[in-house]
Amino acid sequence: MTSVGIGDEKILHEAKYIFKDFTFIDVSFIESLIN
Amino acid sequence: MNKKAFLFDLDGVIVDTAKYHFLAWQKLANQLGIEFTPEHNEELKGVSRVRSLEIILELGNIQASQEDKNKWLIQKNEEYLSYLVDMDESEILPGVLPVLHYLKDHNQLIALGSASKNARPILEKTGILHLFDAIVDGNDVSNAKPDPEVFLRAAQLLNVSNENSIVFEDSVAGIQAAKLLT
């Protein structure tokens, strides 16, 4: 499974991708996951 | 294109009930004479209610009977539930709705994978239950994260391989659970 961490990158450093919150996720990232 | 599954944790990812869990645990901890800070709370994210209480009791070096533990678990949950009564769509965290709607608009499968035993009522109260194709919560699994059971079952319900599943998580235990299925 691909892991996307939502929160503090210092805590979630094991995740493949990390975003502070969902407002930092753009359409191109979601598209890349879909495709 | 292979079918994809998008698996979401609930507390701290879709809605901020994590703050209500923290407040309820903090109230119980303080009652027991234990200091419980936001930093301590990080250790509780994604783990079961029972294990959370054990962690708090370990913080205070408290040995307790099963009877007392059961009483405190009920007390904590009642405190937590009292915060949920007035939940509505405004409790959904910023940026979550656009992502969920984008996925639905593009015919992607969405599931909830949460340790919460109150997941369905929370999704109902916030008006997004209909966006989920499958829900696996604390009532459906016996092993808490970092055990990957909750995500494994969600992917199975959606009939999508682990390889094609994407997990959104705010907890270390949840990230570790997803990685175990890599």
Side-chain angles (χ1 to χ4, degrees), chain A residues 14-30:
Chain A
E14 292 182 66
K16 184 169 184 180
Y17 306 100
I18 305 172
F19 297 92
K20 185 177 178 182
D21 61 46
F22 275 87
T23 64
F24 288 84
I25 296 178
D26 60 24
V27 167
S28 63
F29 176 70
I30 299 297

Side-chain angles (χ1 to χ4, degrees), chain B residues 26-118:
Chain B
Q26 188 181 51
K27 185 172 181 178
L28 176 65
N30 291 345
Q31 174 189 312
L32 299 174
I34 302 168
E35 183 185 17
F36 186 68
T37 66
E39 287 71 31
H40 293 139
N41 192 52
E42 288 296 325
E43 298 178 42
L44 272 52
K45 288 185 175 178
V47 307
S48 71
R49 199 179 300 175
V50 171
R51 179 61 192 142
S52 293
L53 177 61
E54 289 173 352
I55 290 171
I56 290 172
L57 294 178
E58 288 166 8
L59 278 173
N61 199 25
I62 290 178
Q63 306 288 324
S65 67
Q66 192 57 52
E67 184 181 358
D68 278 342
K69 288 180 183 177
N70 292 341
K71 179 182 69 180
W72 293 332
L73 286 169
I74 291 169
Q75 180 184 329
K76 182 269 172 181
N77 197 49
E78 287 176 348
E79 181 72 16
Y80 169 71
L81 290 174
S82 73
Y83 294 119
L84 303 186
V85 172
D86 296 324
M87 284 191 80
D88 58 27
E89 187 177 315
S90 68
E91 298 269 3
I92 299 173
L93 290 169
V96 172
L97 277 178
V99 170
L100 291 177
H101 286 302
Y102 187 90
L103 292 172
K104 292 308 288 183
D105 290 346
H106 289 77
N107 300 312
Q108 300 301 304
L109 295 168
I110 301 174
L112 191 81
S114 168
S116 172
K117 292 190 174 183
N118 303 295

Side-chain angles (χ1 to χ4, degrees), chain B residues 99-163:
Chain B
V99 170
L100 291 177
H101 286 302
Y102 187 90
L103 292 172
K104 292 308 288 183
D105 290 346
H106 289 77
N107 300 312
Q108 300 301 304
L109 295 168
I110 301 174
L112 191 81
S114 168
S116 172
K117 292 190 174 183
N118 303 295
R120 284 181 183 274
I122 289 171
L123 293 178
E124 283 176 359
K125 280 186 167 295
T126 52
I128 56 174
L129 180 61
H130 66 286
L131 296 175
F132 289 82
D133 301 290
I135 294 172
V136 181
D137 66 16
N139 300 298
D140 304 311
V141 297
S142 51
N143 299 301
K145 302 167 189 172
D147 188 288
E149 182 183 10
V150 69
F151 294 134
L152 185 61
R153 290 194 61 175
Q156 288 172 340
L157 282 173
L158 297 176
N159 197 28
V160 175
S161 68
N162 295 340
E163 182 185 1

Side-chain angles (χ1 to χ4, degrees), chain A residues 1-2 4 6 14 31 33, chain B residues 4 102 165 167 169 176 181:
Chain A
M1 291 189 178
T2 301
V4 182
I6 304 295
E14 292 182 66
E31 276 294 334
L33 295 176
Chain B
K4 298 291 177 65
Y102 187 90
S165 298
V167 170
E169 257 289 352
Q176 291 172 341
L181 298 172

